[in-house]
Amino acid sequence: LMYHDVVEDGQPCNTWTVTAGRFRQDLKWLRDHGYTCVLPRDLVKGHLPKGKAVLITFDDGYESNYRLAFPILKEYGDKAVISMIVRRTVDGKSDFLTWDMCREMEASGLVEFGSHTYDLHYDQPRGIHRAPSENRKQYESRVLSDLETSVDRIEKNLNTKVLFFAYPYGQKESWASDFLQKRFAMTVTTRFGRANLAFLTLEVRESNRAAIGLYEKLGFRPVGRRKNYYTEAHEDAILMTLEWNEHRA
């Protein structure tokens, strides 16, 4: 479940906001229907709950994640990962988290922090996309150094390993793909459209045997393969599906 900013009940919302009351309702629904919240570090270690699992994510690192969402997470004992646009915290922007807020949430064991880039969350060029007329060397100097800086700042300030990366705007880029796979244990993107909870499909690089094994433990099964055009080698990707029903344990 992906969230961004949280607002007080009664305040206007847009596409990227949710009220605190609605967020509480979401967590109550998950609890009532037998879901357990997990963190990226749980998945990477293979620590999977029995039954149904859900990953809650917050993008950008808004101050409201601490002020409004964190107390509700504590109320339910649920977990979430926050992917930070790190420079907004470094620069002390008032609508974004401070390092002290992050340290408190990290220490609770309920919140993990990932990267949403250091300072690349802009429309032009869009996220980590290459700029027009930018060559490979220029791209790597601009983008890969930004990603390294985001990780270094989080790890230095929170004394924790950064395992998770959320693509800005859900947009991938082949020139960054190999770097991201080596630097992060888990990356996530988005796909617009209505979710089909009865039939989930994902794509995993064929060489990433650890991830394939993890998803098999979760109940996914391989159903085919196709070329993965987000890697320079155009390596085959394994397509895996999970057919869900209420009788799954």
Side-chain angles (χ1 to χ4, degrees):
L1 294 176
M2 180 184 67
Y3 300 93
H4 288 75
D5 202 0
V6 186
V7 298
E8 299 276 5
D9 291 349
Q11 294 297 309
C13 289
N14 59 37
T15 304
W16 307 110
T17 58
V18 64
T19 65
R22 178 53 194 264
F23 182 61
R24 179 178 280 106
Q25 290 175 14
D26 289 352
L27 295 192
K28 182 178 185 302
W29 188 94
L30 292 172
R31 184 190 64 184
D32 292 346
H33 288 78
Y35 283 87
T36 300
C37 294
V38 297
L39 293 174
R41 63 172 67 110
D42 300 324
L43 296 176
V44 169
K45 294 176 182 177
H47 295 167
L48 306 176
K50 293 182 179 180
K52 297 180 285 189
V54 61
L55 178 68
I56 294 176
T57 71
F58 286 89
D59 282 0
D60 302 338
Y62 291 101
E63 176 269 347
S64 65
N65 298 170
Y66 173 82
R67 178 171 50 87
L68 296 175
F70 183 46
I72 301 172
L73 289 171
K74 289 192 292 184
E75 177 183 338
Y76 283 86
D78 281 335
K79 302 176 181 179
V81 57
I82 299 174
S83 300
M84 307 172 64
I85 305 171
V86 179
R87 184 169 180 176
R88 299 184 188 181
T89 290
V90 171
D91 289 351
K93 292 190 177 294
S94 60
D95 289 342
F96 289 83
L97 295 167
T98 67
W99 289 121
D100 284 341
M101 293 174 183
C102 295
R103 280 188 280 268
E104 181 181 340
M105 289 191 285
E106 172 70 30
S108 74
L110 299 178
V111 178
E112 182 175 342
F113 287 89
S115 170
H116 204 35
T117 76
Y118 181 73
D119 190 30
L120 292 178
H121 205 294
Y122 300 103
D123 278 330
Q124 297 297 329
R126 196 163 176 80
I128 65 168
H129 274 187
R130 67 189 79 169
S133 302
E134 188 173 44
N135 63 37
R136 184 66 176 264
K137 184 176 181 180
Q138 292 168 332
Y139 174 84
E140 291 183 351
S141 176
R142 179 177 65 86
V143 173
L144 303 192
S145 62
D146 175 282
L147 298 176
E148 278 289 5
T149 299
S150 74
V151 171
D152 291 344
R153 293 297 179 92
I154 295 172
E155 292 185 345
K156 178 181 178 181
N157 282 278
L158 303 185
N159 192 30
T160 188
K161 182 76 171 174
V162 176
L163 304 172
F164 187 82
F165 176 76
Y167 288 91
Y169 307 105
Q171 300 290 305
K172 294 184 177 181
E173 167 59 60
S174 65
W175 281 0
S177 181
D178 289 339
F179 173 87
L180 288 168
Q181 182 177 4
K182 292 174 183 177
R183 194 65 183 83
F184 298 96
M186 184 176 182
T187 62
V188 295
T189 184
T190 55
R191 179 178 297 174
F192 287 99
R194 187 180 297 275
N196 182 353
L197 296 181
F199 191 75
L200 306 180
T201 303
L202 54 83
E203 182 177 305
V204 188
R205 289 177 65 165
E206 187 174 30
S207 62
N208 194 348
R209 306 309 302 177
I212 292 172
L214 173 61
Y215 288 123
E216 286 176 337
K217 289 182 181 178
L218 288 170
F220 286 83
R221 59 185 178 84
V223 293
R225 67 176 63 225
R226 69 180 175 198
K227 288 294 182 183
N228 182 349
Y229 293 102
Y230 291 115
T231 65
E232 286 300 292
H234 290 181
E235 175 187 352
D236 276 0
I238 303 298
L239 300 178
M240 306 183 73
T241 64
L242 174 66
E243 295 183 19
W244 182 265
N245 62 64
E246 289 299 324
H247 301 293
R248 289 185 63 90

